[in-house]
Amino acid sequence: MLKAMLLAIGLLSQLPVARFLSPEDYSQANRQRAVHYFAFTGLFLAAIIGSCSLVISSALPDLAASAIILLLWVLITGALHLDGLADCSDALAAGHRDRDRASVLTILKSPECGAMAVVALVLQLLLKLAFIHALLSQFHVQLAVAIGCALVCARLWASLYMQTTPYAREQGLGIAGPGRPSTAIIVQCCALLMVSFWWLPAGFTAALFCVQALVFFSWRQLWLNRINGYTGDCVGAMIELQETTILCLFTVYFSPAA
């Protein structure tokens, strides 16, 4: 249990947990168990970033505080998910030229960064900065709740993604999912929904879930059509998209004009 938890933290962040893991801990079985702790990893990251956001926002002007919070977010996650978003953007752009599955997988693995990757990263960071600033200018605690929700929910959807979708490569850090969510993931989803309905307005929680589900199924189907499965880049990109979607919904719903 502890090894799987540390592995999940190591796979989804830059926190120094690798020193507690041996090469044998990266086995397929342990990676499958680690997926069950993705939401816990999000909660752990949320505790760090959310608490820091409260301190930073009380010490700096809103715009400067927003930039520092975003920088902290990127540093703790190691820009791993941003890298996935960049690779997926390049692969999707190349896909318009009728590339076959093998070519798309090659592009996803390439270390080169194309124009579409740069555009996607700039837009993603600008959107996150704008939403963080909008929430921060209203109520500091509200921002911490939005950050927590984004970090936890996005990683829970990543768990569902990996368990319900075949891995597209023969080798890699992905897992060969069972094709359906495990009991542990279902329990986590139910618990998160119960907490959300208790903590947030019911209508907003329902809308939040529906929009996230739409993003999940659309993204999953897109890559099933392109590569018949998923890669780590697809998971990372979906985490970024889900996080930004959640921040956007919080901003729209809780804005004074809403």
Side-chain angles (χ1 to χ4, degrees):
M1 174 180 172
L2 180 59
K3 292 291 186 181
M5 191 182 300
L6 291 174
L7 183 56
I9 295 173
L11 291 173
L12 296 177
S13 75
Q14 286 294 94
L15 296 177
V17 298
R19 68 184 69 179
F20 304 109
L21 298 169
S22 65
E24 292 76 18
D25 293 326
Y26 290 85
S27 65
Q28 174 79 0
N30 277 342
R31 293 202 303 273
Q32 288 179 332
R33 284 191 288 269
V35 172
H36 295 145
Y37 296 97
F38 278 14
F40 168 82
T41 301
L43 184 62
F44 186 60
L45 297 177
I48 298 173
I49 299 174
S51 58
C52 288
S53 71
L54 294 175
V55 176
I56 294 169
S57 60
S58 64
L60 294 171
D62 286 350
L63 184 57
S66 301
I68 296 298
I69 292 168
L70 179 58
L71 176 62
L72 178 65
W73 197 330
V74 172
L75 290 176
I76 288 181
T77 58
L80 298 171
H81 314 316
L82 288 170
D83 177 69
L85 179 63
D87 289 339
C88 286
S89 299
D90 277 341
L92 287 174
H96 287 301
R97 297 192 289 271
D98 297 324
R99 298 293 186 100
D100 58 19
R101 176 177 180 272
S103 299
V104 174
L105 286 172
T106 300
I107 295 169
L108 285 170
K109 195 173 182 178
S110 173
E112 297 178 358
C113 186
M116 290 303 297
V118 175
V119 171
L121 290 178
V122 171
L123 290 176
Q124 172 71 356
L125 291 172
L126 283 176
L127 283 171
K128 271 191 171 180
L129 178 63
F131 295 141
I132 290 172
H133 180 258
L135 289 167
L136 187 60
S137 63
Q138 298 168 40
F139 192 47
H140 295 177
V141 175
Q142 192 177 88
L143 172 62
V145 173
I147 289 174
C149 186
L151 286 162
V152 175
C153 291
R155 282 148 189 80
L156 187 54
W157 284 110
S159 300
L160 285 168
Y161 190 18
M162 296 177 71
Q163 288 201 330
T164 60
T165 312
Y167 189 55
R169 300 187 189 277
E170 295 182 0
Q171 295 181 340
L173 288 177
I175 65 167
R180 56 180 176 78
S182 65
T183 302
I185 297 300
I186 294 174
V187 170
Q188 290 177 34
C189 290
C190 293
L192 184 59
L193 276 174
M194 290 175 62
V195 171
S196 298
F197 274 109
W198 176 73
W199 185 267
L200 300 169
F204 174 67
T205 299
L208 194 64
F209 173 78
C210 290
V211 174
Q212 287 180 79
L214 178 62
V215 172
F216 169 77
F217 286 112
S218 300
W219 187 254
R220 181 177 182 273
Q221 190 59 48
L222 173 64
W223 290 103
L224 280 173
N225 293 338
R226 292 297 176 92
I227 58 175
N228 300 326
Y230 80 92
T231 67
D233 287 325
C234 300
V235 176
M238 193 194 70
I239 288 175
E240 284 291 334
L241 294 175
Q242 292 282 18
E243 287 179 347
T244 304
T245 298
I246 293 168
L247 291 176
C248 176
L249 291 172
F250 266 86
T251 301
V252 171
Y253 188 85
F254 291 103
S255 66

